[in-house]
Every structure is written in C-alpha cells, then in structure tokens.
Amino acid sequence: MAPIIKRSSQKENARLLAIVAFTARLEEILRGPIEILPSLADSLRGQISAVGLIPSAAISSKSRELDERATAIWNLTSKHKYNGTLGDELALDWSNYSSKFACDSVVGLPKRSNCENRRPSITESHIEGLKMLPWSVHQFLPSDRHSCLNDVDQGQLGVTEQVVERAASYEQKLQRAVQDGKSRDLASNIRRLSQEYQVLRITLAWRQDRLDLAEILLARLSPEKSAIEPTVAESLADILLEIGRDRAAKHQYTLAIYWLEKAHDVLGSQTPESLSNGAGEIRICILHTMIRVLLKERGEGSIQKAWNIVPELEGESENRVAVSLLKLELFNVDSAATQDYHDVLTQVVRQIHITDTNVKTILHHIHELRRRSTRLTHAVLIVLLTERLLTIGEAAWMEKTLITIIWNFTTSSDLASTPDRLGDLFATIVTTSNVVLGTSATHVAQILILRRIEATYSQGDYDRADLWCCLALQNIFTRSGATNVGKLQRKRLLCALAKSDLVRCCEISHQMSESTRNDSSTRYLLYKLALRCQDVELASECLDVITQQSGTDMTLLYASVLEAQKSGNRQQVILTLTRVCHKTNSLPTPGLHLLALLRLTARMLIQETESQQSHDNKLVEELCKVFEAGVDKLQIEPFPR
C-alpha cells in the first residue's frame, strides 16, 4: 500500500503547485490589461474544484502563499469592479470566482501567530480558523446586506457546505476547551465566534430549504436570547428577516409571520444602547414587512394585529410618508374609514417628495379613494395640483393630474352639476402660473367634457350644457384647434336655439371665427336662427353656402327644407325646394324621385302665386323652370304605359 500513498501524495503536490502557479499568473493579469480575463473563467473554475480535492495537510505547506494570493485576487477584483473596468456581469463572475478560491484556500488552515517567534496554541489556531469562517462565507453574500448566497443562485452549495463543515470541528473543540476550563480568558471571544458560526449554519439551512433544521439551530443558539452578542443579534435578525421575506414571496404567510416575529424578538432582547445604527433599519424592515404580510394573509385578527404594529413603526421610523402609505393600505381594507383615508392621503400629498414614481403612487391611491367618495377625491386632487405641482412646474405631472380632475368631475353626478367650480380652477391656473395644456392633454380633456355635454344636452338641461361648453373654451385649452372650437360653439348655438334665446344665438354667432361661421353645419344652425328672426337676407346667405358645400351629400339642404316647413314660411319653403331642384337636376341623386319633388315645388309656387293680389314675375319664371325640368326628365325617363 505504500507506493499507492506515495503516488497519491505526489499527485496532490503536483496539483497544489499548479494552483500556486495559476494564482500567481492570475494576480499578474489582474494588475495589468484585463482583456483576456473572460477566457480564464473555465480555468479558474477548474482550479477552484481542484482546491477542494486537496487535503488540508497537503495545503499547509503553501498556506501563507495561498492566503496572500487569495487576498490579492479578491482586492484586485473588487478594485476593477469599483472602477467599472470589468463591467457589471463580468465583475460579478470574477468576484464570485475569486471569493470561492479565497475560501477554499484559507478556511480550515490554522493561521500563523502575529508573533513569528512562537507557535500558536491549538485553541488560538482554532479561534483564528473560526474567525475566517464569516469572512469566507460572506464572500458569497451580496454587498447590499441581503443574506443570499451567490452559490445557491448558481445551484452550487458545495463550497459553502465544505467551509461550514470544516469549521464545525473547530467550534466543537473550542466549546470543549471552554467547558474543561482550559481557555477561560478566551471564553467571551469563543462564545461570540460560536454564535456567529450558528448564524451562518442557520443561513445555510435556509438556503438548503431546511427550515426545520434552521428552527432547531435557532433554539440551540442560546437558551436565553439576551445572552446573544449585540453584533450577532443584528446578523441573526437580518437572516430571520430574509427567511420571512422568502416565505412571504412563496405565499406561506403564516410561516413568514412566525420568522418575522422571531427576528423582532431577537432585536427586542437587546438594549438600544448596545445595538448599532443599522439595527434600527433592520427593525423598521421587520415591522414594515410584518404589516405587509398581515395585509396579504387576511386571517382572523390580521388587520388588527397590523394596526397594533403601526405605533411601534411610527416610533422607530423617521420616514413618516412610508408609514402613512402603509396606513392607506390598511384603511383600504376598511370600507367605513373613508374620511380617515382622505386625511392620511392629504397628509401624504403634502409631505411626499414629488417624483414620477411618487406621483403615480398618489394617483393610484386617489383612484382607490374615488370608489368611496368623488368629492373627497376632488379635494385631494386640488391639494396635489395647487399646493405641490404648480410650484414645481413639471408639465407632464400637471397634465396627468388635471385630466384626472376633469375625469373625476365629468363622471360624477355630484360634481357634474357644478361645472363653474372647475371653471374657477382653470382660471386660477392660467392666471397664477400661465399654464396651458399640451395638444394631447387638451384632446383627452375635451373628449371627457364633450361626453358630459352630450349627456347633459340629451337630458334637456341646456343651461348646464352651455356652461360645460364655455368651460371647454377657456384659455387653458388654447391648443384645442379650430375644428374642436367650432364644434363647441355650434353646441352652444344648439343650446340657445333649444331655449329660443335668439339674443344669445346672435352673440354666439358673432363670437365665431370666419371659417367656423362659413362651415355648412354652422350655416344650417344660422338658417334656423334666420327663420325664427325672419331675417330673409341671412337665410338666403346661409342657403347659398349650404348649397355650395353640399356636393353629393344633400342632407343639410333637405334639413333646411324641413326647417322651412316647420316655420310655416311658404316663401322659404319655395326657396329651399327650388335650390334642391336645381341641385338634383345637375347631379345624379340616388334615392330621390325628382318628378315628385318637381310636382311639390310647382304646387307650392302656384299656391304662393294665387295668394298674391298681383302676380310676381319671378314666381312665374321659377314655375316655368320647374315645368321645363319636368319635361326634360320625362324625355329621359318617360312614364311606363
């Protein structure tokens, strides 16, 4: 068997020499150009695996050199990562690789004493080895305090398990030394290191999905939690917080609450003076997470339990806004707490730092409040717009909020009855800050207002419909465009005609631009006005424009005939009928019986001629034209015999 041992030893030594040579080359590369680093990734993985196969006894001869190399590689990789020369993804890979190499190279090796002239005792060696455990394992922990192992993310627990396994024997021997009274002077140091070791074992058990083992280790950590060292207590609470978050992410809310309560108890057992500033952050995170988990659990008494945590969180946290947002989520569960919801949301609006994300958060809660009360929602929106956003001057935020105000106002039966309140707001905005809505925002706002106008008009509430039209024509909508302005002015004209307010009709028509006034739709409404005012000149002018713009679509010209018939003005009926006859005689009009139209026109002309004491030559000439048009039509399409 001797030759086999010898060959095995030679193989291990050769492997060790190869590792030492590779680390020297790697350190040299990291100190110079780094272009070839990606090509060395596979080689480094192989060297890491090789280290794990070499017994500690074989490594001891090169322990100092491996220690120095591992430290140098780690520092150089961290430097490149900080400077950004590796890139985020590459830096993460090399940090992981170098940290694993450092762990496998140094953990489990008795450290040399600071004094080169004496050999360290066995207890001191074990203490030094145990001190290396947190350093080694924490190379796998991200730097943002979240306790999650990079090895686990890659599906590899081998290195971490190996490190903890090597440290287990150290911890047992140290505990035995304390019990035998051999190391009383080092008892406190050993106790702290042993507790750190247990915390890391709990972390590993969690990442192995062995929460039953983690619970046993937690119970074994100390019979009295007050005996835990403050620094260890902070680390333990942090790990338990992460376990609670992990369970919550997996929808295991009861388990999540259990581990979060354990984390809270660990910190609660320590005196405030003994804890660092970071402990306060951990406590706040624990309380915050507990409330969120209780909200999701929705079990019996969960909401009340969450409310019981709020006072403690308010006492711990300086961020009042975060606590208020949690309160909003709790109020959201209670449909009866509408006024409380409004009060807290108003407080948040006045205190929160305005950013794009925070504006979206506020608007989200405003939509939640709207389900309960549109009036309270309007009050919060006014505070947001006038007290916060107008002073900042960010157009996108103001437009989004103003459109929300208009939407809330136009879709609420309570608020829609008082459009003048919205008008006062628009006037105040333009006067104080000279703000006008952009084209897209104006388009959206006017669509919302037009819907309310149509709904109000269909209900016969013409005064309020006219107020909504005036609202949409305010200066804040200067970018609405001539087409939309014309549409709103015609709607105002319809409201005035419906109320038979001829004076208001004239005022509105004079306010129109020339292009809007000469639009065929506007001319039709003005023709109705002319019939009621018996303004022959205006009626003739309107008919001229309607006839010219009708083209093949003669809908408005037919409507003018009907309006003339309703008014009982025979002259206007004749005038419109003759326009229709001339138009249809020159253009093919499907669906219209021209001979029937000519007979009706001739009958009206004869009646008008007979009603006059002296014959009007113009009427006679027009009657002749009608008969001539009828003859021409019969020649083209004779009656069937």
Side-chain angles (χ1 to χ4, degrees), residues 402 425-427 429-430 435-438 442 471 473-479:
L402 194 56
L425 174 64
F426 292 164
I429 292 172
V430 174
V435 172
V436 295
L437 291 182
T442 299
L471 188 71
L473 290 169
Q474 286 204 14
N475 291 334
I476 197 169
F477 302 116
T478 53
R479 296 193 177 113

mmCIF file with all atom_site columns, all heavy atoms in Angstrom, residues 402 425-427 429-430 435-438 442 471 473-479:
data_model
loop_
_atom_site.group_PDB
_atom_site.id
_atom_site.type_symbol
_atom_site.label_atom_id
_atom_site.label_alt_id
_atom_site.label_comp_id
_atom_site.label_asym_id
_atom_site.label_entity_id
_atom_site.label_seq_id
_atom_site.pdbx_PDB_ins_code
_atom_site.Cartn_x
_atom_site.Cartn_y
_atom_site.Cartn_z
_atom_site.occupancy
_atom_site.B_iso_or_equiv
_atom_site.pdbx_formal_charge
_atom_site.auth_seq_id
_atom_site.auth_comp_id
_atom_site.auth_asym_id
_atom_site.auth_atom_id
_atom_site.pdbx_PDB_model_num
ATOM 1   N N   . LEU A 1 402 ? -54.493 67.096 -13.874 1.00 0.00 ? 402 LEU A N   1
ATOM 2   C CA  . LEU A 1 402 ? -55.637 67.892 -14.320 1.00 0.00 ? 402 LEU A CA  1
ATOM 3   C C   . LEU A 1 402 ? -56.635 67.033 -15.097 1.00 0.00 ? 402 LEU A C   1
ATOM 4   O O   . LEU A 1 402 ? -57.854 67.199 -14.948 1.00 0.00 ? 402 LEU A O   1
ATOM 5   C CB  . LEU A 1 402 ? -55.137 69.054 -15.185 1.00 0.00 ? 402 LEU A CB  1
ATOM 6   C CG  . LEU A 1 402 ? -56.144 70.174 -15.463 1.00 0.00 ? 402 LEU A CG  1
ATOM 7   C CD1 . LEU A 1 402 ? -56.688 70.735 -14.159 1.00 0.00 ? 402 LEU A CD1 1
ATOM 8   C CD2 . LEU A 1 402 ? -55.500 71.284 -16.277 1.00 0.00 ? 402 LEU A CD2 1
ATOM 9   N N   . LEU A 1 425 ? -61.198 76.841 -11.230 1.00 0.00 ? 425 LEU A N   1
ATOM 10  C CA  . LEU A 1 425 ? -59.881 76.218 -11.117 1.00 0.00 ? 425 LEU A CA  1
ATOM 11  C C   . LEU A 1 425 ? -59.043 76.501 -12.360 1.00 0.00 ? 425 LEU A C   1
ATOM 12  O O   . LEU A 1 425 ? -57.861 76.871 -12.253 1.00 0.00 ? 425 LEU A O   1
ATOM 13  C CB  . LEU A 1 425 ? -60.037 74.706 -10.913 1.00 0.00 ? 425 LEU A CB  1
ATOM 14  C CG  . LEU A 1 425 ? -58.737 73.894 -10.915 1.00 0.00 ? 425 LEU A CG  1
ATOM 15  C CD1 . LEU A 1 425 ? -57.843 74.286 -9.738  1.00 0.00 ? 425 LEU A CD1 1
ATOM 16  C CD2 . LEU A 1 425 ? -59.040 72.395 -10.885 1.00 0.00 ? 425 LEU A CD2 1
ATOM 17  N N   . PHE A 1 426 ? -59.646 76.351 -13.545 1.00 0.00 ? 426 PHE A N   1
ATOM 18  C CA  . PHE A 1 426 ? -58.913 76.611 -14.787 1.00 0.00 ? 426 PHE A CA  1
ATOM 19  C C   . PHE A 1 426 ? -58.439 78.063 -14.853 1.00 0.00 ? 426 PHE A C   1
ATOM 20  O O   . PHE A 1 426 ? -57.300 78.345 -15.240 1.00 0.00 ? 426 PHE A O   1
ATOM 21  C CB  . PHE A 1 426 ? -59.801 76.307 -15.992 1.00 0.00 ? 426 PHE A CB  1
ATOM 22  C CG  . PHE A 1 426 ? -60.131 74.847 -16.163 1.00 0.00 ? 426 PHE A CG  1
ATOM 23  C CD1 . PHE A 1 426 ? -61.163 74.446 -16.993 1.00 0.00 ? 426 PHE A CD1 1
ATOM 24  C CD2 . PHE A 1 426 ? -59.410 73.867 -15.500 1.00 0.00 ? 426 PHE A CD2 1
ATOM 25  C CE1 . PHE A 1 426 ? -61.469 73.113 -17.169 1.00 0.00 ? 426 PHE A CE1 1
ATOM 26  C CE2 . PHE A 1 426 ? -59.707 72.525 -15.655 1.00 0.00 ? 426 PHE A CE2 1
ATOM 27  C CZ  . PHE A 1 426 ? -60.746 72.155 -16.489 1.00 0.00 ? 426 PHE A CZ  1
ATOM 28  N N   . ALA A 1 427 ? -59.315 78.966 -14.464 1.00 0.00 ? 427 ALA A N   1
ATOM 29  C CA  . ALA A 1 427 ? -58.956 80.385 -14.497 1.00 0.00 ? 427 ALA A CA  1
ATOM 30  C C   . ALA A 1 427 ? -57.819 80.686 -13.531 1.00 0.00 ? 427 ALA A C   1
ATOM 31  O O   . ALA A 1 427 ? -56.900 81.459 -13.849 1.00 0.00 ? 427 ALA A O   1
ATOM 32  C CB  . ALA A 1 427 ? -60.183 81.232 -14.161 1.00 0.00 ? 427 ALA A CB  1
ATOM 33  N N   . ILE A 1 429 ? -55.470 78.602 -12.510 1.00 0.00 ? 429 ILE A N   1
ATOM 34  C CA  . ILE A 1 429 ? -54.233 78.016 -13.028 1.00 0.00 ? 429 ILE A CA  1
ATOM 35  C C   . ILE A 1 429 ? -53.611 78.924 -14.080 1.00 0.00 ? 429 ILE A C   1
ATOM 36  O O   . ILE A 1 429 ? -52.405 79.200 -14.061 1.00 0.00 ? 429 ILE A O   1
ATOM 37  C CB  . ILE A 1 429 ? -54.510 76.616 -13.609 1.00 0.00 ? 429 ILE A CB  1
ATOM 38  C CG1 . ILE A 1 429 ? -54.895 75.643 -12.495 1.00 0.00 ? 429 ILE A CG1 1
ATOM 39  C CG2 . ILE A 1 429 ? -53.291 76.090 -14.367 1.00 0.00 ? 429 ILE A CG2 1
ATOM 40  C CD1 . ILE A 1 429 ? -55.375 74.294 -13.002 1.00 0.00 ? 429 ILE A CD1 1
ATOM 41  N N   . VAL A 1 430 ? -54.434 79.407 -15.010 1.00 0.00 ? 430 VAL A N   1
ATOM 42  C CA  . VAL A 1 430 ? -53.912 80.261 -16.088 1.00 0.00 ? 430 VAL A CA  1
ATOM 43  C C   . VAL A 1 430 ? -53.427 81.591 -15.533 1.00 0.00 ? 430 VAL A C   1
ATOM 44  O O   . VAL A 1 430 ? -52.384 82.123 -15.948 1.00 0.00 ? 430 VAL A O   1
ATOM 45  C CB  . VAL A 1 430 ? -55.001 80.471 -17.158 1.00 0.00 ? 430 VAL A CB  1
ATOM 46  C CG1 . VAL A 1 430 ? -54.528 81.474 -18.208 1.00 0.00 ? 430 VAL A CG1 1
ATOM 47  C CG2 . VAL A 1 430 ? -55.357 79.149 -17.820 1.00 0.00 ? 430 VAL A CG2 1
ATOM 48  N N   . VAL A 1 435 ? -50.210 78.469 -17.185 1.00 0.00 ? 435 VAL A N   1
ATOM 49  C CA  . VAL A 1 435 ? -50.080 77.111 -17.706 1.00 0.00 ? 435 VAL A CA  1
ATOM 50  C C   . VAL A 1 435 ? -51.216 76.839 -18.679 1.00 0.00 ? 435 VAL A C   1
ATOM 51  O O   . VAL A 1 435 ? -52.374 77.150 -18.416 1.00 0.00 ? 435 VAL A O   1
ATOM 52  C CB  . VAL A 1 435 ? -50.113 76.086 -16.553 1.00 0.00 ? 435 VAL A CB  1
ATOM 53  C CG1 . VAL A 1 435 ? -50.184 74.663 -17.096 1.00 0.00 ? 435 VAL A CG1 1
ATOM 54  C CG2 . VAL A 1 435 ? -48.886 76.239 -15.680 1.00 0.00 ? 435 VAL A CG2 1
ATOM 55  N N   . VAL A 1 436 ? -50.887 76.233 -19.823 1.00 0.00 ? 436 VAL A N   1
ATOM 56  C CA  . VAL A 1 436 ? -51.896 75.746 -20.765 1.00 0.00 ? 436 VAL A CA  1
ATOM 57  C C   . VAL A 1 436 ? -51.573 74.291 -21.075 1.00 0.00 ? 436 VAL A C   1
ATOM 58  O O   . VAL A 1 436 ? -50.420 73.875 -21.048 1.00 0.00 ? 436 VAL A O   1
ATOM 59  C CB  . VAL A 1 436 ? -51.921 76.575 -22.066 1.00 0.00 ? 436 VAL A CB  1
ATOM 60  C CG1 . VAL A 1 436 ? -52.359 77.990 -21.795 1.00 0.00 ? 436 VAL A CG1 1
ATOM 61  C CG2 . VAL A 1 436 ? -50.553 76.561 -22.749 1.00 0.00 ? 436 VAL A CG2 1
ATOM 62  N N   . LEU A 1 437 ? -52.604 73.538 -21.357 1.00 0.00 ? 437 LEU A N   1
ATOM 63  C CA  . LEU A 1 437 ? -52.414 72.116 -21.632 1.00 0.00 ? 437 LEU A CA  1
ATOM 64  C C   . LEU A 1 437 ? -51.814 71.904 -23.015 1.00 0.00 ? 437 LEU A C   1
ATOM 65  O O   . LEU A 1 437 ? -52.072 72.683 -23.946 1.00 0.00 ? 437 LEU A O   1
ATOM 66  C CB  . LEU A 1 437 ? -53.744 71.371 -21.545 1.00 0.00 ? 437 LEU A CB  1
ATOM 67  C CG  . LEU A 1 437 ? -54.372 71.236 -20.153 1.00 0.00 ? 437 LEU A CG  1
ATOM 68  C CD1 . LEU A 1 437 ? -55.650 70.427 -20.239 1.00 0.00 ? 437 LEU A CD1 1
ATOM 69  C CD2 . LEU A 1 437 ? -53.410 70.576 -19.189 1.00 0.00 ? 437 LEU A CD2 1
ATOM 70  N N   . GLY A 1 438 ? -51.022 70.833 -23.146 1.00 0.00 ? 438 GLY A N   1
ATOM 71  C CA  . GLY A 1 438 ? -50.485 70.462 -24.439 1.00 0.00 ? 438 GLY A CA  1
ATOM 72  C C   . GLY A 1 438 ? -51.571 69.928 -25.354 1.00 0.00 ? 438 GLY A C   1
ATOM 73  O O   . GLY A 1 438 ? -52.721 69.722 -24.956 1.00 0.00 ? 438 GLY A O   1
ATOM 74  N N   . THR A 1 442 ? -55.030 68.320 -24.082 1.00 0.00 ? 442 THR A N   1
ATOM 75  C CA  . THR A 1 442 ? -56.229 69.083 -24.436 1.00 0.00 ? 442 THR A CA  1
ATOM 76  C C   . THR A 1 442 ? -57.251 68.197 -25.136 1.00 0.00 ? 442 THR A C   1
ATOM 77  O O   . THR A 1 442 ? -58.451 68.261 -24.856 1.00 0.00 ? 442 THR A O   1
ATOM 78  C CB  . THR A 1 442 ? -55.852 70.261 -25.340 1.00 0.00 ? 442 THR A CB  1
ATOM 79  O OG1 . THR A 1 442 ? -54.960 71.126 -24.637 1.00 0.00 ? 442 THR A OG1 1
ATOM 80  C CG2 . THR A 1 442 ? -57.079 71.047 -25.751 1.00 0.00 ? 442 THR A CG2 1
ATOM 81  N N   . LEU A 1 471 ? -66.790 76.049 -20.476 1.00 0.00 ? 471 LEU A N   1
ATOM 82  C CA  . LEU A 1 471 ? -65.650 75.501 -19.738 1.00 0.00 ? 471 LEU A CA  1
ATOM 83  C C   . LEU A 1 471 ? -64.595 74.957 -20.699 1.00 0.00 ? 471 LEU A C   1
ATOM 84  O O   . LEU A 1 471 ? -63.390 75.171 -20.516 1.00 0.00 ? 471 LEU A O   1
ATOM 85  C CB  . LEU A 1 471 ? -66.148 74.389 -18.808 1.00 0.00 ? 471 LEU A CB  1
ATOM 86  C CG  . LEU A 1 471 ? -65.141 73.813 -17.819 1.00 0.00 ? 471 LEU A CG  1
ATOM 87  C CD1 . LEU A 1 471 ? -64.821 74.813 -16.740 1.00 0.00 ? 471 LEU A CD1 1
ATOM 88  C CD2 . LEU A 1 471 ? -65.690 72.529 -17.203 1.00 0.00 ? 471 LEU A CD2 1
ATOM 89  N N   . LEU A 1 473 ? -64.017 75.946 -23.590 1.00 0.00 ? 473 LEU A N   1
ATOM 90  C CA  . LEU A 1 473 ? -63.477 77.010 -24.443 1.00 0.00 ? 473 LEU A CA  1
ATOM 91  C C   . LEU A 1 473 ? -62.573 77.969 -23.673 1.00 0.00 ? 473 LEU A C   1
ATOM 92  O O   . LEU A 1 473 ? -62.168 79.001 -24.229 1.00 0.00 ? 473 LEU A O   1
ATOM 93  C CB  . LEU A 1 473 ? -64.627 77.791 -25.080 1.00 0.00 ? 473 LEU A CB  1
ATOM 94  C CG  . LEU A 1 473 ? -65.442 77.039 -26.146 1.00 0.00 ? 473 LEU A CG  1
ATOM 95  C CD1 . LEU A 1 473 ? -66.712 77.800 -26.503 1.00 0.00 ? 473 LEU A CD1 1
ATOM 96  C CD2 . LEU A 1 473 ? -64.600 76.789 -27.387 1.00 0.00 ? 473 LEU A CD2 1
ATOM 97  N N   . GLN A 1 474 ? -62.236 77.621 -22.419 1.00 0.00 ? 474 GLN A N   1
ATOM 98  C CA  . GLN A 1 474 ? -61.388 78.516 -21.631 1.00 0.00 ? 474 GLN A CA  1
ATOM 99  C C   . GLN A 1 474 ? -59.962 78.548 -22.167 1.00 0.00 ? 474 GLN A C   1
ATOM 100 O O   . GLN A 1 474 ? -59.538 77.698 -22.960 1.00 0.00 ? 474 GLN A O   1
ATOM 101 C CB  . GLN A 1 474 ? -61.398 78.089 -20.166 1.00 0.00 ? 474 GLN A CB  1
ATOM 102 C CG  . GLN A 1 474 ? -62.698 78.436 -19.456 1.00 0.00 ? 474 GLN A CG  1
ATOM 103 C CD  . GLN A 1 474 ? -62.523 78.561 -17.952 1.00 0.00 ? 474 GLN A CD  1
ATOM 104 O OE1 . GLN A 1 474 ? -61.417 78.644 -17.438 1.00 0.00 ? 474 GLN A OE1 1
ATOM 105 N NE2 . GLN A 1 474 ? -63.622 78.578 -17.227 1.00 0.00 ? 474 GLN A NE2 1
ATOM 106 N N   . ASN A 1 475 ? -59.198 79.529 -21.692 1.00 0.00 ? 475 ASN A N   1
ATOM 107 C CA  . ASN A 1 475 ? -57.842 79.767 -22.216 1.00 0.00 ? 475 ASN A CA  1
ATOM 108 C C   . ASN A 1 475 ? -56.878 78.624 -21.955 1.00 0.00 ? 475 ASN A C   1
ATOM 109 O O   . ASN A 1 475 ? -55.859 78.508 -22.640 1.00 0.00 ? 475 ASN A O   1
ATOM 110 C CB  . ASN A 1 475 ? -57.275 81.055 -21.609 1.00 0.00 ? 475 ASN A CB  1
ATOM 111 C CG  . ASN A 1 475 ? -57.998 82.277 -22.104 1.00 0.00 ? 475 ASN A CG  1
ATOM 112 O OD1 . ASN A 1 475 ? -58.563 82.257 -23.194 1.00 0.00 ? 475 ASN A OD1 1
ATOM 113 N ND2 . ASN A 1 475 ? -58.006 83.341 -21.309 1.00 0.00 ? 475 ASN A ND2 1
ATOM 114 N N   . ILE A 1 476 ? -57.177 77.782 -20.969 1.00 0.00 ? 476 ILE A N   1
ATOM 115 C CA  . ILE A 1 476 ? -56.277 76.675 -20.678 1.00 0.00 ? 476 ILE A CA  1
ATOM 116 C C   . ILE A 1 476 ? -56.254 75.662 -21.826 1.00 0.00 ? 476 ILE A C   1
ATOM 117 O O   . ILE A 1 476 ? -55.331 74.865 -21.965 1.00 0.00 ? 476 ILE A O   1
ATOM 118 C CB  . ILE A 1 476 ? -56.691 75.991 -19.353 1.00 0.00 ? 476 ILE A CB  1
ATOM 119 C CG1 . ILE A 1 476 ? -55.530 75.135 -18.823 1.00 0.00 ? 476 ILE A CG1 1
ATOM 120 C CG2 . ILE A 1 476 ? -57.942 75.155 -19.531 1.00 0.00 ? 476 ILE A CG2 1
ATOM 121 C CD1 . ILE A 1 476 ? -55.755 74.637 -17.415 1.00 0.00 ? 476 ILE A CD1 1
ATOM 122 N N   . PHE A 1 477 ? -57.302 75.742 -22.700 1.00 0.00 ? 477 PHE A N   1
ATOM 123 C CA  . PHE A 1 477 ? -57.386 74.841 -23.850 1.00 0.00 ? 477 PHE A CA  1
ATOM 124 C C   . PHE A 1 477 ? -57.103 75.578 -25.159 1.00 0.00 ? 477 PHE A C   1
ATOM 125 O O   . PHE A 1 477 ? -57.751 75.327 -26.180 1.00 0.00 ? 477 PHE A O   1
ATOM 126 C CB  . PHE A 1 477 ? -58.777 74.197 -23.923 1.00 0.00 ? 477 PHE A CB  1
ATOM 127 C CG  . PHE A 1 477 ? -59.166 73.417 -22.703 1.00 0.00 ? 477 PHE A CG  1
ATOM 128 C CD1 . PHE A 1 477 ? -60.235 73.816 -21.912 1.00 0.00 ? 477 PHE A CD1 1
ATOM 129 C CD2 . PHE A 1 477 ? -58.457 72.288 -22.331 1.00 0.00 ? 477 PHE A CD2 1
ATOM 130 C CE1 . PHE A 1 477 ? -60.605 73.100 -20.791 1.00 0.00 ? 477 PHE A CE1 1
ATOM 131 C CE2 . PHE A 1 477 ? -58.814 71.562 -21.202 1.00 0.00 ? 477 PHE A CE2 1
ATOM 132 C CZ  . PHE A 1 477 ? -59.884 71.967 -20.430 1.00 0.00 ? 477 PHE A CZ  1
ATOM 133 N N   . THR A 1 478 ? -56.137 76.465 -25.141 1.00 0.00 ? 478 THR A N   1
ATOM 134 C CA  . THR A 1 478 ? -55.851 77.253 -26.345 1.00 0.00 ? 478 THR A CA  1
ATOM 135 C C   . THR A 1 478 ? -55.324 76.404 -27.496 1.00 0.00 ? 478 THR A C   1
ATOM 136 O O   . THR A 1 478 ? -55.352 76.845 -28.649 1.00 0.00 ? 478 THR A O   1
ATOM 137 C CB  . THR A 1 478 ? -54.805 78.346 -26.026 1.00 0.00 ? 478 THR A CB  1
ATOM 138 O OG1 . THR A 1 478 ? -53.652 77.738 -25.422 1.00 0.00 ? 478 THR A OG1 1
ATOM 139 C CG2 . THR A 1 478 ? -55.377 79.379 -25.082 1.00 0.00 ? 478 THR A CG2 1
ATOM 140 N N   . ARG A 1 479 ? -54.851 75.206 -27.196 1.00 0.00 ? 479 ARG A N   1
ATOM 141 C CA  . ARG A 1 479 ? -54.316 74.338 -28.252 1.00 0.00 ? 479 ARG A CA  1
ATOM 142 C C   . ARG A 1 479 ? -55.351 73.324 -28.738 1.00 0.00 ? 479 ARG A C   1
ATOM 143 O O   . ARG A 1 479 ? -54.990 72.282 -29.278 1.00 0.00 ? 479 ARG A O   1
ATOM 144 C CB  . ARG A 1 479 ? -53.082 73.593 -27.733 1.00 0.00 ? 479 ARG A CB  1
ATOM 145 C CG  . ARG A 1 479 ? -51.922 74.511 -27.385 1.00 0.00 ? 479 ARG A CG  1
ATOM 146 C CD  . ARG A 1 479 ? -50.646 73.730 -27.191 1.00 0.00 ? 479 ARG A CD  1
ATOM 147 N NE  . ARG A 1 479 ? -49.520 74.616 -26.919 1.00 0.00 ? 479 ARG A NE  1
ATOM 148 C CZ  . ARG A 1 479 ? -48.856 74.689 -25.784 1.00 0.00 ? 479 ARG A CZ  1
ATOM 149 N NH1 . ARG A 1 479 ? -49.206 73.911 -24.782 1.00 0.00 ? 479 ARG A NH1 1
ATOM 150 N NH2 . ARG A 1 479 ? -47.840 75.512 -25.638 1.00 0.00 ? 479 ARG A NH2 1
#
